[in-house]
Amino acid sequence: MIAETLPLFDSPRARIPGLDGLNHDESIPKVVLGFGMGVDSCAILLRWLTDPTSRNFDLDDLAVVTAQTGDEKATARTEIEKLVLPLMRAHRIRLIQVARSERYATSTGKGIVVLSDTRSPDRMFTEGRYKLSDEMLSAGTVPQAGGARLCSVHAKGDCLDPVIERITRGRPYRHVLGFELHEQSRALKDTRFNTALRTGEYPLIDWQWTRQDCQDFIVDVVGEPISKSACVYCPFALSNKTSRIEALQRYAERPDEAALALTMEHVALALNANQGLIAGKRLIDLLASSGQHHHVLTAFTDELDRTEHALYRVRRILRPSKSDPTKMANAARAVERIATGSRGAMLTRLTRDYGSDVEVDGLITRAYLRRRGDQFPALEELYTVAPAVVTDKQHRNFDDWWSDTARALEVPAAA
């Protein structure tokens, strides 16, 4: 059956749209390494390259794949280019870099761009194409520190799955992921995605390597450590004590990286006061209290004043949990851009037209027409000012839901 399907994958007509940047003359890999550019995946790759006894396959049968979010911290690119790519070139390792070209990447390859497919890699294209921050800013939200890590699913998994399907061409393959010894639960969860063709493998767990073991090995091989891979605004990194210290130092040295994180948080907070970047807590408060980031905050404030802003109407329906009506299950939100202009002009219009219940929250001003109550269901309606990056979004049934909830609460349902 496999032999019969190969000509279909190899024919020009069957090439997946958006993936024509792949090298169609390459052989079919038997092993695919998901390369996150961090400590764990680098340790696997470097051991394979320097210790042949650590692997049971030829390096010609290996493909290394990575999806660029577009917002990787700058040190990740320089470290990989300096410490890892020279060895990959020496061993002629195939490296495929891809990214999203638009918000949604499909299983057919639409929305995916191939940045590079080569056995002589000399550059990491960390600038990506459609950035994860583009998605977050247009949605007026921040990546969430809990749950299903949807930011990784959208920016990485949705890009890599069609690419892996394309390069393996219907043949069985081993999908290697860098879960270290203390991440066995993540590895167990990943095995649920195994199929007749795909088999997940986790060599760091087999080797009994912790992250520190990985870092020690990297230093032994290349002479320098490799930092943890993360977007410049990663909530997981900011929630971890050690990673947060590194991030704060990096922000002091790279105000541009801090500015992106602050802007994303600022936009999200304008629409929802609970959307702090650090598991609900605010990055801007952390930087203000550090005593080392005054120049960063000043630059951020100055940039806000230069940026085009919008006046937004935000409506939110907060629904109760079926198991516990005192707790919120989920929320539906509608966002509408009312006007655009300078920050000052939008703030003036906000207070002039909607100024009966104005809340000043640091650099953010909101005017409430309807505040949420303590019980659910609840309605919330406000006007706010933020950079003009959020796109209008509303479920087609939102107005019906809003009216139904308003009637249930016996409050007027504003149009």
Side-chain angles (χ1 to χ4, degrees):
M1 177 65 72
I2 290 175
E4 293 176 357
T5 64
L6 285 178
L8 295 177
F9 280 90
D10 285 341
S11 68
R13 288 184 305 170
R15 289 180 180 175
I16 298 176
L19 300 185
D20 285 337
L22 292 171
N23 187 345
H24 300 291
D25 296 327
E26 274 282 1
S27 59
I28 301 173
K30 299 176 182 177
V31 179
V32 178
L33 171 64
F35 188 55
M37 300 194 300
V39 176
D40 301 332
S41 57
C42 283
I44 294 173
L45 181 56
L46 290 175
R47 189 177 187 195
W48 282 347
L49 299 184
T50 59
D51 178 11
T53 65
S54 67
R55 52 181 166 82
N56 56 3
F57 59 89
D58 293 332
L59 293 178
D60 286 345
D61 292 327
L62 170 66
V64 178
V65 297
T66 189
Q68 300 291 4
T69 67
D71 295 316
E72 189 79 32
K73 58 187 182 180
T75 52
R77 177 182 62 80
T78 56
E79 288 171 356
I80 300 301
E81 290 179 353
K82 175 183 177 183
L83 303 176
V84 179
L85 292 193
L87 278 169
M88 294 186 72
R89 290 195 297 272
H91 289 273
R92 305 260 324 143
I93 303 300
R94 185 184 184 187
L95 173 62
I96 302 171
Q97 300 181 62
V98 300
R100 285 186 295 176
S101 59
E102 55 190 74
R103 166 63 180 86
Y104 294 102
T106 72
S107 59
T108 65
K110 184 180 183 298
I112 302 172
V113 60
V114 178
L115 304 172
S116 176
D117 180 4
T118 178
R119 289 186 179 270
S120 300
D122 58 4
R123 179 186 169 192
M124 299 304 295
F125 294 86
T126 52
E127 66 275 15
R129 188 66 60 84
Y130 178 88
K131 302 177 187 297
L132 179 57
S133 57
D134 294 335
E135 175 187 347
M136 296 292 107
L137 289 168
S138 66
T141 190
V142 293
Q144 303 301 308
R149 302 194 185 197
L150 292 179
C151 56
S152 293
V153 172
H154 295 165
K156 295 185 177 184
D158 289 350
C159 285
L160 291 176
D161 289 346
V163 171
I164 294 172
E165 180 182 357
R166 172 64 184 90
I167 63 175
T168 54
R169 305 182 199 175
R171 291 282 184 89
Y173 66 96
R174 297 154 58 182
H175 191 186
V176 179
L177 297 173
F179 297 136
E180 49 99 3
L181 182 61
H182 296 141
E183 295 180 310
Q184 296 188 44
S185 60
R186 293 184 68 189
L188 179 61
K189 182 178 179 180
D190 181 74
T191 61
R192 301 170 188 168
F193 297 99
N194 286 341
T195 66
L197 299 178
R198 187 256 191 196
T199 302
E201 293 187 3
Y202 323 101
L204 294 179
I205 295 176
D206 295 338
W207 301 340
Q208 299 286 291
W209 279 19
T210 64
R211 182 153 296 139
Q212 188 59 53
D213 293 325
C214 294
Q215 192 68 276
D216 292 342
F217 178 78
I218 290 170
V219 173
D220 286 342
V221 172
V222 298
E224 297 179 31
I226 287 176
S227 59
K228 182 176 176 60
S229 172
C231 292
V232 299
Y233 44 76
C234 178
F236 297 100
L238 291 169
S239 299
N240 176 276
K241 182 177 180 181
T242 301
S243 298
R244 183 165 60 246
I245 292 173
E246 185 272 333
L248 291 178
Q249 180 180 350
R250 191 178 73 250
Y251 287 155
E253 298 170 353
R254 295 293 304 264
D256 58 320
E257 295 187 356
L260 178 57
L262 287 169
T263 300
M264 181 182 297
E265 179 183 69
H266 180 86
V267 171
L269 286 171
L271 275 59
N272 184 346
N274 298 318
Q275 282 287 295
L277 188 55
I278 313 173
K281 296 181 180 180
R282 302 183 179 190
L283 174 63
I284 193 168
D285 294 340
L286 179 61
L287 296 184
S289 64
S290 73
Q292 300 177 359
H293 297 84
H294 178 73
H295 65 295
V296 173
L297 297 174
T298 299
F300 170 63
T301 304
D302 291 343
E303 183 61 27
L304 274 184
D305 288 335
R306 291 191 294 268
T307 300
E308 182 183 45
H309 276 58
L311 173 63
Y312 297 100
R313 180 195 185 195
V314 182
R315 290 182 294 162
R316 190 173 285 110
I317 305 170
L318 302 103
R319 302 183 176 112
S321 168
K322 292 182 179 179
S323 59
D324 185 353
T326 66
K327 296 182 179 179
M328 186 179 76
N330 56 58
R333 188 184 74 176
V335 178
E336 178 185 359
R337 185 183 298 191
I338 303 300
T340 58
S342 70
R343 184 176 180 227
M346 293 299 97
L347 288 172
T348 297
R349 181 165 176 177
L350 174 73
T351 55
R352 183 194 68 201
D353 296 346
Y354 311 100
S356 59
D357 185 6
V358 173
E359 174 183 84
V360 178
D361 181 9
L363 296 173
I364 296 167
T365 302
R366 308 181 195 90
Y368 285 88
L369 272 67
R370 190 177 279 122
R371 289 182 180 266
R372 66 176 73 178
D374 296 330
Q375 297 181 342
F376 303 105
L379 296 179
E380 182 178 66
E381 183 176 7
L382 61 96
Y383 288 79
T384 189
V385 172
V389 294
V390 182
T391 57
D392 288 7
K393 187 173 183 180
Q394 177 176 320
H395 191 280
R396 64 180 180 274
N397 295 328
F398 184 89
D399 285 332
D400 291 337
W401 298 337
W402 180 270
S403 297
D404 292 343
T405 306
R407 282 194 294 270
L409 295 173
E410 296 182 346
V411 297

